[in-house]
Amino acid sequence: MDSILVKDKHFVPFIKAEKLKEEVKRVAAEITHDYQGKKPLFLCILNGSFIFAADLIREVDLPCEISFVKMTSYQGTGTTGKVRELIGLNVDITDRHVIIVEDIVDTGITMAHMLETLKGHNPASVDICTLLTKPDKLQVQLDIRYCCLSIPNDFIVGYGLDYDGYGRNIKDIYVIEK
Ligand code: 5GP
Ligand code: MG
């Protein structure tokens, strides 16, 4: 298998860009269908979701807005269990239909933190849209309405996801070599 080196670790091919594209289109069509007559605000969690978000909103056929927040919980290949907010909410979400866009829901701690933050701002509704989930690692109860793919509990890079800052520009998703 074509193993690649990202920083100091080897990764092997896992999900092809074509497959990601297909799944992103499917989820975008679901959102377009479900949000007819509404003008959702896509709230994307940086850094990891930037490529997914860019592909997703271009497939959504609705009047919509996009904004970003920046949170971090991972260091290297593991979660620290603590969420740090690096760029906060800088848009008024009162009475807005918010769709949170995330690269991957792992323990769910970042998403739970995000939901808690948004609750205080009285949005009309909040839905979660994630490229990936690792269901075996979920530690909190989350209602994930939109999800492209579920994956096993292994560390991945590519398509916006990084290993210590590197690998976000890789088109396909790769998984750490065992
Ligand atoms: P959670 O708070 O759900 O445990 O972690 C969510 C965040 O951890 C994601 O937004 C993502 O940035 C990072 N993360 C979780 N799993 C992976 C993974 O396999 N690879 C990478 N690169 N980041 C991950
Ligand atoms: Mg993230």
Side-chain angles (χ1 to χ4, degrees):
M1 241 193 291
D2 312 327
S3 143
I4 57 163
L5 183 68
V6 180
K7 202 183 170 196
D8 55 1
K9 291 194 192 302
H10 290 277
F11 292 82
V12 293
F14 185 45
I15 309 169
K16 283 273 182 214
E18 292 74 37
K19 173 70 176 165
L20 294 169
K21 193 173 173 185
E22 230 171 72
E23 293 298 321
V24 171
K25 270 194 167 179
R26 174 184 61 77
V27 165
E30 283 175 28
I31 293 173
T32 301
H33 173 267
D34 296 347
Y35 279 77
Q36 280 303 309
K38 295 177 180 149
K39 295 175 182 163
L41 169 69
F42 290 92
L43 196 55
C44 311
I45 306 182
L46 294 173
N47 293 327
S49 74
F50 78 111
I51 289 181
F52 172 46
D55 285 348
L56 179 78
I57 70 156
R58 284 180 295 173
E59 294 292 340
V60 168
D61 189 12
L62 291 168
C64 62
E65 288 181 82
I66 185 163
S67 190
F68 300 90
V69 294
K70 183 166 180 173
M71 294 192 180
T72 182
S73 63
Y74 254 59
Q75 221 164 54
T77 62
T79 182
T80 60
K82 285 199 192 84
V83 184
R84 286 193 303 143
E85 205 173 285
L86 303 177
I87 300 174
L89 197 63
N90 57 11
V91 59
D92 185 10
I93 62 161
T94 312
D95 298 329
R96 295 299 306 269
H97 295 285
V98 178
I99 302 175
I100 304 172
V101 181
E102 176 62 303
D103 53 356
I104 182 164
V105 176
D106 184 32
T107 62
I109 291 170
T110 304
M111 193 51 76
H113 185 276
M114 185 74 191
L115 289 171
E116 199 50 43
T117 305
L118 297 189
K119 240 185 359 195
H121 295 265
N122 303 310
S125 67
V126 179
D127 274 324
I128 297 171
C129 177
T130 186
L131 176 69
L132 303 161
T133 50
K134 289 182 186 168
D136 294 346
K137 273 191 83 183
L138 203 58
Q139 289 178 15
V140 293
Q141 165 68 32
L142 282 180
D143 180 11
I144 300 176
R145 185 161 185 192
Y146 305 105
C147 174
C148 292
L149 294 162
S150 293
I151 61 166
N153 188 7
D154 298 309
F155 188 76
I156 56 160
V157 291
Y159 196 74
L161 290 108
D162 72 307
Y163 163 50
D164 261 359
Y166 291 93
R168 295 193 196 276
N169 57 326
I170 299 167
K171 285 184 182 161
D172 300 330
I173 289 182
Y174 283 72
V175 66
I176 199 155
E177 196 170 52
K178 287 190 185 140

